[in-house]
Amino acid sequence: MPRRPYRQKRRAESAEETRQRLVRATFDLHGERGIAATTMKDIAERADVSVGTVYHHFSTYSEAIKACGAYALGRAPIPDETALDGARSREERIVLLAAAFFDLYEKLGAFDWVRRDSHVDPLLAAVVEEEENARQTLAALALGSRKNARTRHVAAMCDVGVFTAFARAGLSAKQAAALVAEMINAWLAATGPPEPQP
């Protein structure tokens, strides 16, 4: 009888290890082919388990997406105002803004797919909206302004589409962020002072 709790503990550990393997497989597949093109069978094959094992851990694909999202955002949370900590000027805040979002996109790997496939699951649409709101809010904070056309333009320059284009051109996330920050700061210098905050 004393062995029973040990066996139950080992079984629970083994189940958790399998679940984590499934989540990592889902994360990798989403980065490679997108959310809409990934199936439960694909996840099983990548994790080297049966399809039944996938369904044992996630009764629906939506549950697998949710677990994958929690894993992804645990690795790279959406930036908040602390991303701008330490900046002493608008120029430095812009550098930190671009770096924070490009670092997020690099770590997540699939954010471009998340946006494209946001119709697949309401959770994806919510993450896309949260990221966009955070980017616009931080752009306004970086400029010391309220949200307006100018802050939207700055936020757009820090978008995952810009990151992806520079990655395809061979730039690292760090290089791309530095270049984008330089372009934004040059544009801001050329267009005059920001609107005062009300």
Side-chain angles (χ1 to χ4, degrees):
M1 278 307 229
R3 289 185 175 177
R4 188 170 212 149
Y6 174 76
R7 285 184 188 150
Q8 288 173 337
K9 182 180 177 190
R10 285 293 302 137
R11 212 174 289 132
E13 287 171 356
S14 178
E16 183 55 29
E17 287 168 8
T18 300
R19 185 179 192 282
Q20 287 307 310
R21 198 161 77 240
L22 293 169
V23 169
R24 286 191 299 273
T26 305
F27 178 82
D28 291 344
L29 287 163
H30 287 174
E32 292 166 19
R33 62 177 73 165
I35 295 93
T38 297
T39 66
M40 297 291 255
K41 183 178 180 213
D42 296 331
I43 296 167
E45 287 174 1
R46 179 61 62 94
D48 197 25
V49 299
S50 70
V51 175
T53 299
V54 180
Y55 278 103
H56 173 74
H57 288 274
F58 308 113
S59 60
T60 64
Y61 184 45
S62 184
E63 285 183 18
I65 290 171
K66 184 176 181 181
C68 180
Y71 172 76
L73 293 175
R75 286 176 54 133
I78 293 174
D80 61 18
E81 62 275 354
T82 62
L84 306 181
D85 285 354
R88 296 181 305 270
S89 66
R90 183 191 72 195
E91 289 78 10
E92 289 181 11
R93 290 192 299 272
I94 295 296
V95 168
L96 293 177
L97 170 73
F101 281 93
F102 282 24
D103 184 58
L104 170 74
Y105 306 141
E106 181 179 53
K107 286 179 180 170
L108 292 186
F111 197 80
D112 207 13
W113 285 111
V114 170
R115 179 179 288 158
R116 282 186 235 169
D117 293 344
S118 61
H119 64 281
V120 171
D121 193 280
L123 174 67
L124 300 175
V127 170
V128 168
E129 184 178 352
E130 181 183 354
E131 182 275 340
E132 189 168 310
N133 286 338
R135 197 161 22 89
Q136 291 191 20
T137 297
L138 288 186
L141 287 172
L143 291 175
S145 176
R146 66 183 189 280
K147 287 184 185 179
N148 55 35
R150 192 170 162 121
T151 61
R152 286 192 299 277
H153 297 156
V154 169
M157 288 293 292
C158 298
D159 183 76
V160 67
V162 175
F163 165 81
T164 302
F166 279 122
R168 280 196 308 265
L171 294 184
S172 69
K174 189 174 182 178
Q175 292 169 326
L179 180 55
V180 165
E182 184 181 333
M183 290 188 291
I184 292 171
N185 280 322
W187 172 69
L188 291 171
T191 56
E195 297 176 26
Q197 196 161 0

